[in-house]
Amino acid sequence: MLRPEQMRRLLIAAPKGEIDTIIRELYRHNVYHIEDFVPESESPDALSIGHPLPGASDAASALIKVRAIESVCGIKPEDVEIREKLPVSKVRAMIETDLPAIQKEVEGLVSTRSRLEARKKEHEQRVKELKPFVAVPLDLELYRGYTRFTVFSGHIRHDVAIDAPHEKHFSDKVDGNMIVVVVPNEYREEVERTLLGAGFQAIPVPGGSGVPADLQESHTGEARRTGEEIVAIDQKMAEIRERHTDFLVACDELLTADVERAEAPLRFAATEETFISEGWVPADQVDRIRDALEKVTGGRIYIEELEIDDTTRVPVEYENPSFASPAQMLVDLYSRPLYSEIDPTPMVAIVFPIFFGLILGDVGYGAILLVMSLGLRKFIKGDEGRMLLQVLSYASVSSIIFGIIFSEIFGASLPWPTLLFSRHVSIGAAAGGHGPQITELLILVFWIGILHITLGRILGMGNSLRSHHGKHAIKGVIANAGWIGLMWGILFMVWGFYALPLMPDLTGLPVVVMGLNASAVVGVVLLVVGILAIAQESPLELVEVPTVISHVLSYARLMVVGLSSVTIAMVVNYIAISMMIEPYLEAITPVGVIMIIMGLLVFLLGHALNTALGLLGGGIHSIRLQYVEFFTKFYSGGGKKYNPFGMKSKFMEE
Amino acid sequence: MTDVVMTLEMIQASQVGTKAIAAALAVGLTGFASAWAELTIGSAAVGATAENRDVFGMVLLLTVLPETIVIFGLVVALLLLF
């Protein structure tokens, strides 16, 4: 807790003959984080990047095939429920025997489907082309093949009169109207001018012969039939998916593992006869992996534990109690801690739900979110999503608890008075009791802020001792203490001058010098010493001094965002219940029933909106207080993720 | 002076009204300021997310940073009213 998992740096060297065995063993254990070998100018000439194992390209091309089949069948390995685990040997045998057949079948289906789709599109296109001509009672062959006549066919704004010998058909039954005019060639230009004057747009006459309506019908029928064939093919695909999903995902897993193993030497340094690899292993796994490697190679391996000289290169794996681990996601969203740093996850795990509850303290909304976070667990499969839901469910429980304390359910009050300070805003008819205790609530959240920031600064001292040495470490500790002194100095000064609720009243202390009482003097001293302490590390830091006040004030959001959500809830209740439902309940009339239904609708919609706002506001503002106000005091982040070489088998068993 | 007579009730009523106007201005103007600030950040955030999906969490947070402005406005308004 508070520290990432301890890591050891290992150097493995062995003859190339053992490389396959060693990679296999490392992969099986899934604990070795490979440090990629990067050839540099100062590294010995004899060292170069290793070559992939034989079979790498075969495995890779097989994997591409499997992924292609998965993608056309719509199989996503991460979303597949595990039904039964297949033995590795069986999967390997099936890759030889079954995979080519499946691939052939799928390829055949895909190509047939794309052919059918093209045909369907063609028919649909023909239907579209024929559509305007259906309105004209002429066979298609009558539009073509004249030497002495010209045929105009197209859309037009309105019917026109043509003063030349002609045959004309006009229809306003189709979009944009349809006109067909046949005139002797000598009148062509004249008629064309007339037509263009009415906004004529020529459309080409579709090929083929016969009555357009019949043709259109037959093409529509064809398109429908092709569509049915496509559906049949989709069904076949679904059958394949149903039958082979287990095998395909297992295949994917096996081949991915093969490819990763075969390409591992690319991350090692190699000489003519040997290879060298550097990597990281959790401290409690070192002995196990060392013994295992020595056993499989029969001692033909050299393993050395190296000093950790640069802590920024160490991969970081969280080590948290189970209640805190979902909050790792929130910390990762900001940045993974450095190896030498304090891991703030447990603090975030405790404080985040409390802040969320303070903001959204309402039994009703809390219950909705709790049900939602538990219900969505069935549908969201990814690790991150699950963690987020876990965090959300803790947060909703906390909001139910604070709802009980604040006596709130959907903005209305519970049968008991508030146990802490009232957040009940008086609106319209809901007035009664005493209004919200703004000042008390404000000072309560400022206290939370002061303590949270002080904790951050104390952690900052710890981090400074850990990440720096000698003079730098001491300077960092003094500067952090200076920030604490500055903040509490201001507090003591305020206490010396003003009596505030929920804060110690020190105005009565005896005056010491220049009209300042003891508390104010202590405050001034702390403030001056604090500023000096900050300046000794870096005078530039003094620019940040106003943040002492602004960061504490920022915790006001804990109260204000909550109050705004209470206000919205109360407004919704007032409109829905007091204005739309209650007045009509006394005597039921038809209008009254409609109003009551509308009122219920307003009630539901309003509270749905407020739940969404509460989730967003509560979540974002609580996490912001962690990131901006808390983390900036001690946390730098930027650690590398621990990513061991290997895989947890999901669909296969040994 | 003219013959306008100000009773105590009138003065009290106008005080309540002035307070309400002040509170409305505090929330309204700071809300406008927040929105203005979020406008720029929001469009940059959408651009950044389009480039790299992973930064979504971070930029969502950056987008709501200026919300502090309206929160202070709301604090002032609440203190004025209650």
Side-chain angles (χ1 to χ4, degrees), chain A residues 562-597:
Chain A
L563 261 179
S564 67
S565 126
V566 177
T567 313
I568 295 174
M570 286 185 159
V571 169
V572 169
N573 289 346
Y574 180 63
I575 295 176
I577 296 173
S578 309
M579 285 169 69
M580 298 176 81
I581 297 180
E582 266 176 5
Y584 295 95
L585 277 182
E586 287 160 13
I588 303 291
T589 58
V591 178
V593 172
I594 295 173
M595 283 307 279
I596 289 171
I597 293 171

Side-chain angles (χ1 to χ4, degrees), chain A residues 333-334 425 436 438 442 553-554 556-557 560-561 563 620-621 623-624 627-628, chain B residues 54 56-58 60-61 64-68 70-72 74-75 78-79 82:
Chain A
L333 201 62
Y334 184 85
V425 186
I438 301 289
L442 254 185
L553 288 184
S554 181
R557 71 188 66 236
V560 177
V561 177
L563 261 179
I620 286 182
H621 286 288
I623 197 64
R624 176 223 139 100
Y627 288 169
V628 182
Chain B
D54 296 342
F56 177 74
M58 205 66 213
L60 181 68
L61 202 88
V64 299
L65 279 193
E67 210 127 292
T68 316
V70 71
I71 283 171
F72 288 161
L74 205 50
V75 171
L78 287 169
L79 287 174
F82 296 104

Side-chain angles (χ1 to χ4, degrees), chain A residues 531-543:
Chain A
I531 288 179
L532 289 176
I534 297 163
Q536 58 82 34
E537 195 194 21
S538 154
L540 278 178
E541 287 277 302
L542 291 177
V543 183

Side-chain angles (χ1 to χ4, degrees), chain A residues 428-553:
Chain A
H434 57 80
Q437 290 163 288
I438 301 289
T439 323
E440 287 85 350
L441 282 167
L442 254 185
I443 290 177
L444 174 75
V445 296
F446 285 161
W447 264 120
I448 293 174
I450 290 163
L451 296 177
H452 202 215
I453 289 175
T454 308
L455 174 66
R457 286 292 173 199
I458 291 171
L459 294 176
M461 292 185 202
N463 266 347
S464 152
L465 276 179
R466 276 213 184 117
S467 12
H468 301 295
H469 297 287
K471 232 168 68 179
H472 276 296
I474 303 296
K475 274 189 171 177
V477 171
I478 293 174
N480 272 306
W483 283 104
I484 296 178
L486 178 57
M487 186 168 73
W488 287 87
I490 294 173
L491 274 176
F492 272 105
M493 278 165 66
V494 172
W495 293 340
F497 288 116
Y498 307 103
L500 296 170
L502 297 183
M503 292 221 171
D505 177 9
L506 302 179
T507 46
L509 291 182
V511 172
V512 185
V513 279
M514 293 173 11
L516 298 174
N517 71 14
S519 167
V521 170
V522 171
V524 171
V525 172
L526 275 175
L527 185 134
V528 172
V529 172
I531 288 179
L532 289 176
I534 297 163
Q536 58 82 34
E537 195 194 21
S538 154
L540 278 178
E541 287 277 302
L542 291 177
V543 183
E544 298 270 320
V545 163
T547 62
V548 170
I549 293 168
S550 70
H551 279 185
V552 174
L553 288 184

Side-chain angles (χ1 to χ4, degrees), chain A residues 10 47 91 105 168 184 224 246 259 262 291 348 387 403 419 433 450 517 551 572 577 595 615 639:
Chain A
L10 289 189
L47 283 183
V91 177
E105 198 180 350
K168 186 183 81 175
R224 202 183 50 239
D246 287 348
V259 170
D291 292 346
V348 174
M387 283 160 107
L419 306 176
I450 290 163
N517 71 14
H551 279 185
V572 169
I577 296 173
M595 283 307 279
L615 175 63

Side-chain angles (χ1 to χ4, degrees), chain A residues 41-55:
Chain A
S41 50
E42 67 259 31
S43 53
D45 287 340
L47 283 183
S48 62
I49 291 180
H51 295 288
L53 300 179

